[in-house]
Amino acid sequence: MSKTKLFMEKNGTILSRYLIVIILFVMISILRPGFSSGSHVKVLLLEAAIIGIAAIGQTFVILTGGIDMSVPWLFTAGAMAAYVSGRVENVNSVLVILLILLGGFALGMINGVAVAYLGVPSIVMTIGLNTILQGSVTGLTSGAVNGVAPGIIYTLATGSIFNISYGFLLWMVLIAVVMLILRKTKYGRSLYALGNSRGVVYFSGIKRQRVEALAYGVSGLFAALAGMLMVGKTGSAYLGMGNPFQFESIAAVALGGVSMAGGSGSYMGTVAGSMTIAVLLAVLTALNLSPALQQIFYGLILFVAILAATIQNNRKMSSKL
């Protein structure tokens, strides 16, 4: 087998996702010339970054064969905590951000401990935590909060260099770190092994429970980070602001070719999936469709795309058996 054919067999799915992004972007840029302006591209890349960051932990969890349905309110809790802290005088913003990230990680670990050590199904546990967080945040805030985006978060979301937002550059750094972890570390290999065969993992000496629990902790941490970036972007925080990311974080992973059964895929695929969703949302907005029609077309297009990606991935996995 030639090197080119081997490369395409290994990376064809991911490359096809990037091709879809480019085609969508070119088509709408022709129809709506202002779509490709520098200012709009900057916003578009930040939107993709927020989706992609929220999907980092989701990728880890799905690689183990689980799923994290608590992303929406981990996202919202992180966003609202950052927003409220912004109005406190003489507060150390860096310390606040670290505490929020630690809180997201700790909440994610609650999911992880219940799933990995107690055997609670991931969908049941994470929906349960999501519901608890929803009630807790709603009760604590009485439905609304007053605040402002902390300076560092605001700068990350709105500041730029060469018209590229700092938030997007942060995502680029995180992509490199995540890919290094998944490809070059024992932990990354353990995630894939866990998704492929729990029986083999049991006999291999891998600390399965620790590996699995940590994936949910990572998911909580990055959901909180994505929420803080959204506060910087919008300048506000509100109840339910993370709800769209429940579907988007999972869709980005599925569109990127990561097996929903676990054990195969790459975060570079999730990156492509995140960009696809960001461009698709921008396209539907640029077409001036009503909000209802936007939701319908958005859901239908993603459903078909995810279905096609899943079928393609299943065929690829079957051919290897």
Side-chain angles (χ1 to χ4, degrees):
M1 183 182 292
S2 68
K3 289 183 179 180
T4 302
K5 188 174 181 180
L6 185 63
F7 175 83
M8 290 304 299
E9 183 176 315
K10 186 177 180 180
N11 301 290
T13 300
I14 296 174
L15 291 175
S16 68
R17 301 302 179 267
Y18 285 106
L19 182 61
I20 290 171
V21 173
I22 293 169
I23 291 172
L24 277 174
F25 184 81
V26 171
M27 286 178 62
I28 196 62
S29 295
I30 293 171
L31 295 172
R32 296 284 190 275
F35 189 87
S36 59
S37 67
S39 59
H40 188 262
V41 169
K42 175 185 170 183
V43 172
L44 193 62
L45 291 178
L46 179 60
E47 182 70 24
I50 294 172
I51 297 170
I53 289 172
I56 289 176
Q58 193 72 265
T59 302
F60 278 44
V61 170
I62 289 176
L63 282 174
T64 70
I67 195 165
D68 189 354
M69 303 295 286
S70 63
V71 167
W73 281 87
L74 285 165
F75 182 106
T76 301
M80 298 193 87
Y83 189 62
V84 170
S85 73
R87 69 181 181 184
V88 180
E89 294 183 5
N90 301 320
V91 68
N92 187 321
S93 297
V94 174
L95 180 59
V96 168
I97 291 169
L98 291 175
L99 287 174
I100 292 173
L101 292 177
L102 181 61
F105 178 79
L107 289 169
M109 285 300 294
I110 293 174
N111 280 330
V113 169
V115 172
Y117 289 91
L118 302 180
V120 181
S122 61
I123 192 169
V124 174
M125 181 60 212
T126 56
I127 287 177
L129 181 67
N130 194 63
T131 303
I132 291 169
L133 285 173
Q134 180 178 1
S136 300
V137 172
T138 303
L140 287 171
T141 62
S142 299
V145 291
N146 294 316
V148 64
I152 296 176
I153 296 299
Y154 180 78
T155 300
L156 266 178
T158 62
S160 63
I161 181 170
F162 302 118
N163 207 40
I164 301 175
S165 73
Y166 293 135
F168 180 76
L169 293 175
L170 171 64
W171 186 34
M172 293 297 100
V173 173
L174 291 174
I175 290 171
V177 172
V178 170
M179 291 304 296
L180 181 65
I181 291 171
L182 291 179
R183 291 185 176 183
K184 301 296 182 180
T185 68
K186 180 180 178 181
Y187 180 74
R189 292 190 292 271
S190 297
L191 285 174
Y192 285 100
L194 187 58
N196 276 314
S197 175
R198 290 176 178 253
V200 171
V201 167
Y202 179 81
F203 291 107
S204 68
I206 293 173
K207 292 180 172 58
R208 177 193 67 79
Q209 293 169 319
R210 185 183 301 176
V211 170
E212 188 170 20
L214 186 55
Y216 289 87
V218 170
S219 186
L221 185 151
F222 284 110
L225 176 57
M228 286 191 282
L229 278 177
M230 181 60 86
V231 165
K233 178 185 176 220
T234 62
S236 62
Y238 51 89
L239 293 177
M241 65 187 295
N243 287 346
F245 291 86
Q246 183 173 70
F247 180 59
E248 288 173 6
S249 67
I250 297 170
V253 176
L255 283 172
V258 177
S259 171
M260 297 303 292
S264 70
S266 166
Y267 183 64
M268 285 307 299
T270 301
V271 171
S274 302
M275 289 185 172
T276 302
I277 292 171
V279 172
L280 177 58
L281 286 169
V283 166
L284 292 174
T285 302
L287 292 176
N288 295 319
L289 300 174
S290 69
L293 281 177
Q294 284 186 38
Q295 286 290 95
I296 292 170
F297 282 117
Y298 176 61
L300 284 173
I301 292 169
L302 280 186
F303 173 75
V304 172
I306 292 170
L307 181 62
T310 303
I311 292 173
Q312 182 183 21
N313 191 63
N314 288 340
R315 285 177 178 173
K316 188 176 179 180
M317 291 299 294
S318 298
S319 66
K320 294 180 178 180
L321 298 177

